[in-house]
Amino acid sequence: MDKKENRLIESFTRVGGVLLLLGAAVYITGWSYAPYFYLAGALIFASGQFADQYTGDDKIVKRLRFQQVLGAVFLLLTALLMFAEPIHNHILSTTSMPPTLRSFLLDLTRRNNWIVTLSIGAIFELYSSFRLDRISDD
């Protein structure tokens, strides 16, 4: 990968990270556009993570890169869960649904499930980035 591609991937990761942070922080306030900022950040950040390829033979770096990609997937899942509130409200108003299915869907779209997936994704991203940085310093 040449320097120009590397800088482009790095800028995608940074811009996406800023939008992720902005969207997650503002979502707590209840601003209706916050999930859109988060979704844009997640898409940009994940595309940067997916584009960054490792072609070497080091198994530790391959594992850490896989963890970064997995963290990006969890961040994308978080964006989907941020949009689950309208679905949740629709399920609450629907009475023709079987009770077990309704209960399952209500649990799945509960308002704060996005925090769990965000935390998992952030832990994967943080751990792997610190470990990769340490490996590159050695």
Side-chain angles (χ1 to χ4, degrees):
M1 197 178 306
D2 66 348
K3 286 187 177 187
K4 189 174 183 179
E5 287 177 0
N6 220 0
R7 283 185 286 161
L8 184 64
I9 290 171
E10 186 177 314
S11 64
F12 265 52
T13 306
R14 286 185 183 180
V15 169
V18 168
L19 286 173
L20 280 170
L21 183 60
L22 175 72
V26 176
Y27 184 81
I28 296 169
T29 66
W31 188 46
S32 61
Y33 293 110
Y36 296 101
F37 277 96
Y38 185 88
L39 177 62
L43 289 171
I44 294 169
F45 184 85
S47 66
Q49 288 291 346
F50 296 151
D52 190 14
Q53 301 290 323
Y54 175 71
T55 56
D57 293 331
D58 191 354
K59 291 182 181 188
I60 294 173
V61 175
K62 284 184 179 181
R63 176 183 53 87
L64 291 170
R65 279 293 306 137
F66 175 75
Q67 286 178 355
Q68 279 186 324
V69 169
L70 189 62
V73 169
F74 272 101
L75 294 176
L76 288 170
L77 180 61
T78 301
L80 293 176
L81 290 175
M82 283 183 163
F83 287 100
E85 187 173 342
I87 298 168
H88 185 84
N89 293 336
H90 177 71
I91 294 168
L92 280 175
S93 65
T94 304
T95 56
S96 62
M97 195 177 300
T100 54
L101 177 63
R102 184 171 186 254
S103 174
F104 172 73
L105 290 175
L106 284 173
D107 285 342
L108 185 64
T109 60
R110 192 172 304 144
R111 294 181 184 183
N112 291 333
N113 283 350
W114 66 274
I115 295 172
V116 175
T117 56
L118 176 65
S119 300
I120 293 169
I123 288 170
F124 276 136
E125 292 293 337
L126 257 147
Y127 173 76
S128 57
S129 67
F130 279 117
R131 288 284 294 137
L132 283 169
D133 189 44
R134 184 161 173 116
I135 288 172
S136 66
D137 287 343
D138 292 341

